[in-house]
Amino acid sequence: MQPNHASGPASRLAARRLTISYTHRTVVRELDLEIPDGSFTVLIGPNGCGKSTVLRALARVLKPSGGEVFLDGTPIAGLPSRHVARTVGLLPQAPITPDGITVAELVARGRYPHQGPLRRESPEDRRVVERCLEQTGIGDLAARPMAELSGGQRQRAWIAMALAQDTELLLLDEPTTYLDLAHQMDVLDLCARLHRDGRTVVAVLHDLNQAARYATHLIAMRDGAILAAGPPATTLTADLVQQAFDLPARIIEDPESGTPLVIPRVHR
Amino acid sequence: MSRLVTAGVTASRRRPVLVGVGCVVLALGIALASLEPGSLFTSMTSADVFVFEQLLLPRVLIALLAGASLALSGAVFQSLTRNPLGSPDVLGFTQGAATGALVGVTVLGGATLVVAGSAWIGAVASAALVYLIARRGGVTGGPRLVLVGIGVAAMLGGVNDYLITRANISDAAQAALWITGSLDGSTWSGVVLLAAAAAILMPPLILASRALRIFEMGEDLAVGLGLRTELLRLSALAAAVVLAATAASQTGPVAFVALCAPHVARRLTRASGPNLVPSALVGAVLLVAADWLARYAIPDRELPVGAVTGLLGGGYLAFLLAQQRRTGRI
Ligand SMILES: Nc1ncnc2c1ncn2[C@@H]1O[C@H](COP(=O)(O)OP(=O)(O)OP(=O)(O)O)[C@@H](O)[C@H]1O
Ligand SMILES: [Mg+2]
């Protein structure tokens, strides 16, 4: 099949003229979006601007009222659901913890798209679950009920579940909420490692400095539209912070990483 | 580490098996006790043989099958509505079945077969109505289903009250007994019907356990994991409603078995997920035990089995929910 250079998206995951409405309110209008292959893309923007909405549409959890999401050049709506689930993983912002579930069981549920209707857990499934528990540093919590964990431990179990889905594209909605600073860094380092190993990672983050430090591609949103997209070094400017958040700020160089560091101005 | 993972998964798999075995033993034990085995060893008159073969045996078998069917259906509903108070009643099931039965008694003459058939139609029709109203843009949110169900149940309740006020005393009493739930009319054809429904509908529902487990994690995650949630919701709801309606056509909508058995099962197995098989087994135990009590609790006076399950099941459920509330669950 000839790729269509005129209108076909260049990257594996992209959206064209995406319009998304909840009951009667249109939240995202005619959005064009490109997730560069092999990137660590970070979505930033104020509360309620539509970051989660876009992420959910990219994972086909939400049906857009207009436009299309493309996965590998094909409209995602027409692809078999299991194929999509093996290619794109989504960790929602507020997942529901089932009653009485242990950490290991939760993580094992990430293997669902890899199992047949009758097939139980394979040795491969078990290996992946173990690896994901290890990677998120919760191996010793495996047998504990989720209900008895701290918020941060629970969040890491959810990340492990998303990892266990073992997809080449991974969408994480605010993976660092509830985590202490050290564990935030752990999760971002883990994302960076996954990205280095060849995966495409998309994350919503609220900490602009972390976004600037870890992202290879930054997308800034406001009111359901994209304000700017590109490498953090050139994209994250004082102007952008003002436009996106109405926040006067200075940008200096992060002495540790050389990436932009956002310093909000003191209100007088 | 690897041991811990295995422990985390298998610890929760051994208990359900133990609970299942325990339930089977208990159900069969009570069933045997209900069959009054003492009389088998003494010389039986032909009247005794008739009572045993045509009344007692079908009655116990129907109790086992209907209990399991109602409970399994309740467990599926709790899973699909992601609501611990889910049961076929969420879709106006009891009220719909009652409307059907009342029409059967007051309008269509009240023959057992007619009442069973019209109750079945009433239950399935009200469930279908609720589903269609709640469906919007191809999606049926769990909460929307519950809310529409409450509305339709209230309307049907009004219809039922009207039908009862219009009925003569004996019709009204027959209908009231049917609605409470009773195993009195148990026949072999009822046994065959329930066994057939169980054989056709239970295996696919039990196979859907894995999908239901994923479904319980919320719409976003379930769809993200590749589950076709609307298809699962429609097919599992339909199978569960038909299973419960078939059971109820023989026994009446025996109160609380569907709501209560899954909670007891979960409490016993301490396993996550829909717990379908343990729920069905607990339901079977619950109904034969309730029937045994209904016949022997008060000497020389038989209670309708629905009154017993209502008292027992309702009491236990209140205790259970109050306790879970205290420990911060639910
Ligand atoms: N299920 C829903 N029904 C109706 N409106 C919704 C729903 N979910 C989100 N919205 C609205 O859509 C808009 C975008 O929401 P979204 O969750 O995408 O924001 P967000 O950028 O992820 O915000 P946050 O940073 O707070 O997570 C908001 O105005 C929100 O009120
Ligand atoms: Mg969000």
Side-chain angles (χ1 to χ4, degrees):
Chain A
M1 197 165 57
Q2 280 292 318
N4 182 351
H5 292 290
S7 66
S11 41
R12 296 194 65 187
L13 191 60
R16 287 286 173 272
R17 303 176 65 94
L18 194 66
T19 300
I20 308 169
S21 319
Y22 291 110
T23 24
H24 296 298
R25 229 154 47 83
T26 298
V27 176
V28 172
R29 201 182 297 273
E30 306 250 313
L31 184 92
D32 283 327
L33 174 127
E34 203 85 36
I35 305 294
D37 291 347
S39 67
F40 184 169
T41 296
V42 172
L43 239 63
I44 58 170
N47 290 138
C49 73
K51 305 180 296 294
S52 302
T53 303
V54 167
L55 221 55
R56 293 167 75 210
L58 288 178
R60 208 180 66 169
V61 164
L62 213 64
K63 202 166 154 274
S65 47
E68 207 110 52
V69 171
F70 290 90
L71 177 61
D72 294 321
T74 315
I76 201 168
L79 290 169
S81 29
R82 188 205 282 250
H83 171 79
V84 174
R86 285 178 172 185
T87 316
V88 186
L90 168 72
L91 177 61
Q93 187 167 356
I96 302 171
T97 307
D99 242 5
I101 195 170
T102 65
V103 172
E105 281 179 291
L106 182 89
V107 177
R109 291 196 182 175
R111 300 300 297 162
Y112 181 73
H114 300 274
Q115 297 163 342
L118 290 173
R119 220 188 75 204
R120 299 274 143 186
E121 225 160 68
S122 70
E124 159 78 357
D125 290 336
R126 225 160 297 143
R127 261 196 307 282
V128 174
V129 168
E130 249 171 65
R131 192 187 69 218
C132 297
L133 286 165
E134 205 95 66
Q135 281 179 330
T136 46
I138 49 169
D140 51 341
L141 301 179
R144 293 265 298 273
M146 282 290 277
E148 294 171 15
L149 301 188
S150 78
Q153 293 170 328
R154 217 173 289 163
Q155 181 71 6
R156 281 188 282 155
W158 279 112
I159 294 170
M161 195 231 65
L163 283 181
Q165 203 175 333
D166 205 17
T167 54
E168 282 156 23
L169 294 125
L170 187 59
L171 315 179
L172 304 168
D173 200 346
E174 303 197 21
T176 53
T177 40
Y178 302 115
L179 300 185
D180 66 54
L181 189 56
H183 280 123
Q184 288 180 27
M185 290 306 182
D186 280 350
V187 165
L188 291 169
D189 284 333
L190 173 62
C191 293
R193 202 158 61 236
L194 294 168
H195 161 244
R196 267 201 310 281
D197 294 344
R199 269 186 243 224
T200 304
V201 179
V202 183
V204 174
L205 295 180
H206 277 300
D207 186 315
L208 301 182
N209 299 326
Q210 290 176 352
R213 188 182 275 195
Y214 283 92
T216 62
H217 186 77
L218 198 66
I219 299 178
M221 289 184 60
R222 171 151 196 183
D223 298 333
I226 293 178
L227 292 179
T234 53
T235 312
L236 191 59
T237 60
D239 264 358
L240 179 72
V241 176
Q242 175 68 46
Q243 270 183 54
F245 297 94
D246 293 328
L247 180 75
R250 291 171 58 188
I251 306 285
I252 62 171
E253 192 185 281
D254 184 334
E256 206 43 51
S257 58
T259 50
L261 190 66
V262 178
I263 312 283
R265 291 191 179 268
V266 178
H267 291 288
R268 285 180 212 283
Chain B
M1 154 66 204
S2 156
R3 243 192 30 245
L4 264 176
V5 175
T6 322
V9 176
T10 52
S12 52
R13 283 196 187 150
R14 210 162 301 142
R15 277 187 80 93
V17 174
L18 286 177
V19 170
V21 172
C23 282
V24 170
V25 170
L26 205 58
L28 292 181
I30 300 171
L32 281 178
S34 309
L35 291 176
E36 301 169 15
S39 61
L40 289 178
F41 297 107
T42 59
S43 56
M44 283 167 90
T45 64
S46 64
D48 288 341
V49 171
F50 176 83
V51 166
F52 179 81
E53 278 183 7
Q54 296 305 319
L55 299 180
L56 233 39
L57 201 53
R59 180 182 185 122
V60 166
L61 289 175
I62 285 204
L64 290 172
L65 286 165
S69 299
L70 288 167
L72 182 68
S73 159
V76 169
F77 269 86
Q78 286 175 15
S79 188
L80 283 175
T81 55
R82 302 190 186 98
N83 185 336
L85 296 180
S87 80
D89 275 339
V90 164
L91 298 186
F93 176 84
T94 299
Q95 307 295 342
T99 307
L102 278 164
V103 170
V105 170
T106 57
V107 182
L108 302 174
T112 313
L113 211 60
V114 171
V115 176
S118 55
W120 191 94
I121 291 171
V124 172
S126 71
L129 180 70
V130 171
Y131 181 84
L132 288 176
I133 297 178
R135 190 178 164 99
R136 189 192 296 153
V139 196
T140 329
R144 198 153 66 216
L145 210 57
V146 174
L147 294 174
V148 174
I150 290 172
V152 169
M155 281 166 49
L156 289 174
V159 173
N160 294 348
D161 290 343
Y162 172 75
L163 286 174
I164 285 189
T165 57
R166 299 275 304 180
N168 65 44
I169 288 288
S170 79
D171 280 359
Q174 188 193 349
L177 179 64
W178 188 88
I179 291 167
T180 311
S182 158
L183 291 164
D184 271 347
S186 302
T187 58
W188 277 108
S189 56
V191 173
V192 171
L193 181 70
L194 292 202
I200 294 169
L201 296 169
M202 281 188 178
L205 279 174
I206 288 167
L207 275 183
S209 284
R210 255 164 46 83
L212 286 171
R213 255 201 284 279
I214 300 298
F215 186 91
E216 285 176 3
M217 304 216 289
E219 202 74 19
D220 280 14
L221 261 172
V223 176
L225 285 169
L227 189 72
R228 296 169 66 189
T229 50
E230 197 56 36
L231 181 68
L232 176 72
R233 186 158 25 220
L234 175 58
S235 51
L237 278 182
V241 164
V242 171
L243 189 63
T246 310
S249 76
Q250 297 304 307
T251 63
V254 187
F256 284 119
V257 174
L259 181 63
C260 189
H263 285 277
V264 178
R266 187 181 304 275
R267 167 104 170 174
L268 292 173
T269 61
R270 295 196 200 132
S272 60
N275 265 306
L276 296 186
V277 176
S279 297
L281 294 173
V282 167
V285 172
L286 209 63
L287 205 53
V288 273
D291 183 44
W292 188 78
L293 273 178
R295 279 190 285 159
Y296 297 107
I298 302 175
D300 298 327
R301 182 169 244 290
E302 188 178 318
L303 301 167
V305 71
V308 177
T309 57
L311 284 173
L312 281 184
Y316 183 70
L317 192 65
F319 161 79
L320 205 65
L321 294 181
Q323 205 183 37
Q324 285 180 336
R325 178 105 213 144
R326 232 178 297 128
T327 57
R329 299 178 71 218
I330 295 190

